[in-house]
Amino acid sequence: MSFAAASAGTPERLSAVHVDVADPGAVLAAAQARGCALEAGGFLLCGVRFVPRAADR
């Protein structure tokens, strides 16, 4: 787990979760098929960006 400082003038919050998965492309396709917006290499769910990453990295 890692944390980053909030930008000046913004409140502290959980904004992204990076998740190790076997097939990031399949995760993004499934999220998009279920109506989640894709953004910056991840998808938005309830205001939080989930970013799938290859588990073997």
Side-chain angles (χ1 to χ4, degrees):
M1 183 176 292
S2 63
F3 296 91
S7 301
T10 61
E12 292 181 355
R13 64 193 182 282
L14 176 65
S15 62
V17 177
H18 294 245
V19 183
D20 290 341
V21 298
D23 186 348
V27 171
L28 291 173
Q32 188 172 36
R34 287 168 176 78
C36 295
L38 300 184
E39 174 183 293
F43 62 92
L44 292 177
L45 179 63
C46 298
V48 177
R49 185 169 48 99
F50 288 81
V51 182
R53 304 184 300 188
D56 61 312
R57 10 175 260 117

